Amino acid sequence: MSLQDRSRFEPSEVEPRITAAWLDAGLGSPDVAAAQDGAYSIAIPPPNVTGALHMGHALNGAIQDTLVRWHRMHGQQAKWILGTDHAGIATQTQVEKLLVSEGSGRTEIGRDAFTERVWEWRAQYGGTIVEQFRRLGASCDYADERFTLDVRYVTAVLEVFVRLYDKGLIYRDHYMVNWDPGSRSAISDLEVEDREVTDRLYEIAYPLSDGSGEVIVATVRPETMLADTAVAVNPEDERYTHLVGRTVTLPLVGRELEIIADDYVKTDFGTGCLKITPGHDPNDFEIGRRHGLDELSVIGEDGRMTDAAGPQYAGLGVEEAQAKVVAALREQGLLRSEEPYVHTVPFSHRSGSRIEPLISLQWFMRMDELAAPARQVVADGQVRIHPESQRRRYDAWLAEIRPWCISRQLWWGHQIPVWYRGDGPDQETYAGTSAPAGDGWERDPDVLDTWFSSALWPFATLGWPDETPELDAFYPTDVMSTARDILFLWVARMVMMGLEFTGDVPFRDVYVHSVIQAPDGRRMSKSLGTGIDPLMLIEGGPRPPVFTQGGDFPAYGADAVRFGLLAMSSTQDVRFSEEKVAQGQALGNKLFNATRFVVGKISADTVAAARPATVEDRWILSRLQAVKADSARRIAQFDLSKLALGLYDFVYGELCDWYLELIKGRAFDDDLAATLLHVLRETVALVHPVMPFVTEDLWTELPGHDGRLLAASVLPAADDAQTDADAEARIAALIEAVTVVRAWRNDAGVPAGAMLDVRLAATGYDETIAALARLARLAVSEDGAVDVGAAAAIVVPGGTVEVLASGAFDPAEAQRKAADQIRELEREITRAEGKLANAGFVDKAPEAVVGAERDKLARLQAELAQLQG
RNA sequence: GGGCGGUUAGCUCAGCUGGUCAGAGCACCUGCCUUACAAGCAGGGGGUCCACGGUUCGAGCCCGUGACCGCCCACCA
């Protein structure tokens, strides 16, 4: 359909066509050979392979695509590295559920069949999110998609593991881990979330072995006392110092426990005596290691009491065991108190189960050695984190980094490349990227934490450990754009791994973007029902209940959603605002109609060129150059909100409201046509990174279109030579004058269509008088040519517009308005005079400020004189 | 328990190193189908810038205290 037959932009009709054109042209696939003349790359935070696009993806997609398109349009070979993450626990959980629904299960079918099943699942659902990124207009390199379990990627992961193992940074140890009974796996500290729960706090008497008394300990986990191996007090605590070194008899068990002294114990909390259970409490574990205590376990990986707990407890769940222990203590008269107790305890982020701290044999990675250089590169600016406030968080976390438990008791993931032979103390261990020679070797069944492989993302996706042309051209990447929640989980680890294995940072800038909350301020979440599906916004669909307004979303289209998300983003969390999306839609429509107007006015063989013939031509070229420069600055500062809103202001407030209105009074000669086309082309191109679809569509409608994609075109950078202060001043005065006269007309009751007879008594309008007359609907008499007195004066920059008596306006209203203005002026004059009469101000304020105040006073007084005259 | 951020028009948010900074979009009111766009155009009303102290000639902007909201980190039994 031709442009002139459409009066509004219809995204649903245009977007599929444009998407296909970009894909056909290989827009996202850069020329690796040409990249040495300038390359730009971003590695996408890989979404979960079976996930669906949520608001966070959409925002981050809009941000990254805007950056990538901007740099591509400034002559760089831009690669947005695309791929998905195997997401160990999340994916395995989904497939396990599926199996259960089929009456089967993971253990029933075995490891090989299970992983086979996950691959099938991935084949079926894995493409969704990539397709959704396309819908958003994301110009990723679709021809070069990665997956963290691709053969080449696996090679990189195993290589990294083996090198770190050989270096001694990866080791196996019995250590306290966060055991998730839900997924039957250890999880890392970062996968744990604290929740507030109400437990019961018990005080229990432990009798001294010699019968001379007792000590009282407090605990919320009485069942763990079965694994107690000591009682600790603070070495400074005078109440107990005499007991240190003596022993108590552990109730129910009868074991002798030594009373030890450790600084960890607080003197002002509880009873000052702490039962020590190294096997089931992380702090006690540390204390136990300091004092060489035995590490007993009475709770197993299934969350039930083990045989070590004794025959009356073995096999019970921890809650049952707790009840039984408490009952037994009460019976023996050793339970001294019991009260409700609110505190926070760790839960698994994934399964939702309460974490059971357990000692188990796991693989760990020592981080301190890698953390130091990762802190350094941020400290010295090799990696810049935006906003600045996030840098402190990053550094604080790295400063106190602890060993990372990297093994997971799952089947879906990178199986740890370690083989064992034999048992007991003589067991042989082999770590390598392939199985060792010889018989009897058995591979470690565990897989690596998903974040282990994610940490290699920026270089493993480019072919590392091979020295590929892609790695050479696009590493380090330029920007890592991400939400705050994975700054430690992922970003910091990428820096560490990047430095260790490539000798260079993985990216130069980290942009930490907003988290978009639901309109009511709650977190957007599926389970809360507060989520908003970006595709519903793009395609239209029912509003979720978090909106006060009901009904369906209109089909806003991808451009509007992108604009809206960028416009609402900032460096802090923001609420979702549908109005901003609507604003984006309005902008797209505005551009569409502006193009329709221009194309309808100029001939098809017009060649775009800046050939200013009038002051407004010089003005718009000056403004265009300014908005280009501003946009470049905002891109560099990651201020995407200001970028989007700045473009909106230019298109609406300058190009359409004023320039296009100004030229309507002119003949469309060749110079004007060339200039008009030039301005429109540049504007459309400038908006493209934010709103790629509508701009790409309009691009094809412009005279001179040579079939090349806008997305693949290069936009000339801002040119200072176009700045024109004189034109800016003259048009600013014109705009002010038109606005003031229009307001006056409204107040004075002048009919909208009526011409007003006036005489211009102001300077500075020699080039704009005709425009002023047309836009403000004035019939301007030559100064002095008509010998009638003015009935009213409208103050404009440079003088007044004298309104001649006529039937077109109500003199009483005009009088009233003038009186209001005079009152207002007098108020301001009084204020300015007062300020200037203040000796403190005149003496201490800077010269320029005082001068400005004097000028302001003079101006106000002149205005007042004109109104009264 | 620490740390960070926020509190500006009915709503969502801008306001740089203190001096036209009291703004934008949406909503609202009035008037316009002025042939690019009524998903439009023109004009307008509306805020003791959370509270109280302080610094300063001058404070949304700096300092202190407090209130409320949000986030992050943390091992207090």
Side-chain angles (χ1 to χ4, degrees), chain A residues 431-633:
Chain A
T433 53
S434 56
D439 296 330
W441 289 99
E442 205 162 317
R443 188 168 183 176
D444 192 303
D446 289 354
V447 300
L448 290 164
D449 181 5
T450 301
W451 295 106
F452 186 93
S453 51
S454 310
L456 321 181
W457 187 248
F459 54 89
T461 49
L462 293 171
W464 187 94
D466 295 336
E467 288 179 23
T468 62
E470 288 78 13
L471 191 63
D472 185 49
F474 298 112
Y475 190 89
T477 63
D478 288 271
V479 177
M480 173 49 58
S481 176
T482 176
R484 212 177 31 225
D485 53 347
I486 51 177
L487 189 63
F488 310 144
L489 216 51
W490 190 42
V491 176
R493 288 168 177 170
M494 281 190 286
V495 176
M496 291 188 268
M497 294 298 216
L499 288 170
E500 175 70 14
F501 290 99
T502 71
D504 205 343
V505 297
F507 28 72
R508 306 190 191 287
D509 289 282
V510 177
Y511 175 58
V512 182
H513 66 244
S514 297
V515 172
I516 297 186
Q517 302 167 329
D520 61 4
R522 284 187 292 169
R523 216 162 51 81
M524 264 200 206
S525 117
K526 228 181 216 170
S527 51
L528 288 175
T530 50
I532 300 170
D533 181 353
L535 290 177
M536 286 292 115
L537 289 167
I538 293 175
E539 297 170 1
R543 278 190 184 77
V546 278
F547 285 87
T548 47
Q549 183 193 358
D552 280 10
F553 289 125
Y556 283 113
D559 286 330
V561 171
R562 293 168 58 118
F563 178 95
L565 291 175
L566 293 179
M568 45 184 118
S569 77
S570 85
T571 55
Q572 64 178 78
D573 292 355
V574 291
R575 295 187 183 197
F576 180 80
S577 153
E578 188 178 342
E579 288 74 24
K580 287 284 191 289
V581 177
Q583 200 180 340
Q585 183 190 32
L587 176 59
N589 196 240
K590 197 71 175 171
L591 274 175
F592 180 86
N593 279 292
T595 303
R596 207 154 71 95
F597 171 70
V598 170
V599 169
K601 290 289 186 189
I602 65 179
S603 73
D605 55 6
T606 303
V607 176
R611 277 157 42 194
T614 66
V615 63
E616 67 264 21
D617 292 343
R618 291 189 285 122
W619 173 76
I620 196 66
L621 291 171
S622 183
R623 296 309 307 151
L624 177 63
Q625 117 77 26
V627 73
K628 281 169 81 171
D630 281 347
S631 298
R633 240 189 325 273

Side-chain angles (χ1 to χ4, degrees), chain A residues 204-219:
Chain A
I204 305 166
Y206 284 15
L208 288 165
S209 304
D210 58 12
S212 65
E214 61 183 26
V215 296
I216 314 277
V217 299
T219 180

Side-chain angles (χ1 to χ4, degrees), chain A residues 801-816:
Chain A
V801 171
E802 297 180 349
V803 184
L804 306 180
S806 81
F809 73 99
D810 178 348
E813 279 300 307
Q815 282 288 331
R816 197 185 53 72

Side-chain angles (χ1 to χ4, degrees), chain A residues 777-789:
Chain A
R777 301 227 169 190
L778 303 176
V780 182
S781 306
E782 289 307 311
D783 205 8
V786 184
D787 187 21
V788 274

Side-chain angles (χ1 to χ4, degrees), chain A residues 41-44 79-83 141 146 457-458 461-462 477:
Chain A
S41 59
I42 295 182
I44 196 171
K79 183 179 176 78
W80 184 3
I81 303 164
L82 176 67
D141 190 352
R146 292 301 147 93
W457 187 248
T461 49
L462 293 171
T477 63

Side-chain angles (χ1 to χ4, degrees), chain A residues 799-855:
Chain A
T800 61
V801 171
E802 297 180 349
V803 184
L804 306 180
S806 81
F809 73 99
D810 178 348
E813 279 300 307
Q815 282 288 331
R816 197 185 53 72
K817 183 173 171 63
D820 283 351
Q821 282 187 324
I822 287 169
R823 256 198 309 283
E824 179 58 30
L825 277 173
E826 284 171 344
R827 242 201 315 274
E828 286 194 49
I829 286 170
T830 309
R831 203 178 309 160
E833 283 174 341
K835 211 167 177 183
L836 288 166
N838 179 341
F841 175 70
V842 179
D843 293 348
K844 296 188 183 178
E847 198 64 34
V849 174
V850 178
E853 197 64 28
R854 289 212 174 91
D855 292 348

